[in-house]
Amino acid sequence: MELFSPEALITEEEISHRIQELGANITKDFEGQDLVVICVLKGAFIFCSDLIKKINLPLKLEFISLSSYGDGITSSGNVRLDMDITANLEGKNVLIVEDIVDTGLTIKTLMEMLEVRRPKEIRLASLLFKPSKLKHQVKIDYLGFEIEDKFVIGYGLDYAGRYRELPYIGILNAGN
Ligand code: IMP
């Protein structure tokens, strides 16, 4: 299998600097409270692990797995819950950590799924946002970077299961 090193759209240094800022904002906003952080697998796993190290609050970490994309680059139009969290969310401050908001369908569906569990509050942290593709109303409380309408890979994001391990975010070009 060939090794592929796309040009970085967002470098490791830029990601790290932004995560430091997001962590500080989250810490300030929830001062004196604790937090349930929900990492949306698989794409957010690297972002989430770096982000929680910059949140200076008592927190519990949960994982949830949803699928909306198949192995291609266009959405299938529906969202399936593959693995649920184990924590009870009633009365809790919840922070969802997502890799990217594209059409917004995944996050809208997840928010609806979690709202019925009666948390105190749900906020969203997303590393990336593609505004040009948005179809559903989504409020991102903590956003890493807004990007143009390109399919991106690396730092947890995949194409057909590959490239998650890249330490930066690159653009997938036809022919890669
Ligand atoms: P949405 O439901 O359309 O907002 O899509 C969200 C999900 O699609 C993300 O959690 C990603 O898994 C996937 N996705 C959307 N755009 C990209 C991309 O550019 N690269 C990799 N995955 C993407």
Side-chain angles (χ1 to χ4, degrees):
M1 192 183 284
E2 84 293 354
L3 282 174
F4 160 58
S5 306
E7 205 183 311
L9 174 69
I10 308 172
T11 65
E12 266 186 274
E13 290 71 25
E14 288 167 330
I15 296 170
S16 159
H17 183 253
R18 188 71 188 117
I19 288 179
Q20 184 102 33
E21 294 175 341
L22 295 179
N25 291 343
I26 294 165
T27 303
K28 182 160 63 64
D29 291 353
F30 288 96
E31 196 185 345
Q33 304 177 66
D34 49 14
L35 207 54
V36 178
V37 173
I38 301 181
C39 173
V40 184
L41 295 174
K42 297 176 184 167
F45 82 108
I46 298 181
F47 173 45
C48 189
S49 70
D50 285 345
L51 181 63
I52 59 171
K53 289 182 274 184
K54 304 296 175 196
I55 300 176
N56 190 14
L57 296 169
L59 64 81
K60 287 190 175 159
L61 180 61
E62 292 284 327
F63 295 94
I64 199 162
S65 178
L66 301 160
S67 41
S68 65
Y69 272 63
D71 266 359
I73 59 172
T74 50
S75 174
S76 63
N78 47 48
V79 177
R80 192 181 64 204
L81 177 65
D82 293 328
M83 189 189 86
D84 204 350
I85 57 169
T86 54
N88 180 353
L89 298 183
E90 195 167 342
K92 300 282 171 42
N93 295 308
V94 174
L95 179 70
I96 298 173
V97 180
E98 176 62 302
D99 55 355
I100 183 166
V101 175
D102 185 18
T103 66
L105 178 69
T106 306
I107 274 306
K108 182 181 159 268
T109 309
L110 177 58
M111 291 275 192
E112 287 169 1
M113 247 177 232
L114 299 181
E115 284 291 358
V116 297
R117 303 181 191 188
R118 299 196 293 164
K120 182 175 169 200
E121 187 182 2
I122 304 183
R123 291 200 188 178
L124 171 64
S126 183
L127 179 64
L128 302 172
F129 174 46
K130 283 184 199 170
S132 55
K133 297 285 286 296
L134 194 68
K135 285 201 196 118
H136 304 273
Q137 194 58 43
V138 172
K139 177 170 177 272
I140 304 174
D141 301 285
Y142 306 100
L143 173 64
F145 305 91
E146 201 170 286
I147 59 167
E148 53 181 312
D149 184 16
K150 297 267 165 58
F151 197 84
V152 289
I153 49 172
Y155 198 72
L157 290 106
D158 76 310
Y159 170 66
R162 290 192 54 200
Y163 312 118
R164 293 192 198 276
E165 71 283 9
L166 290 175
Y168 56 88
I169 293 163
I171 295 175
L172 183 81
N173 297 307
N176 288 145

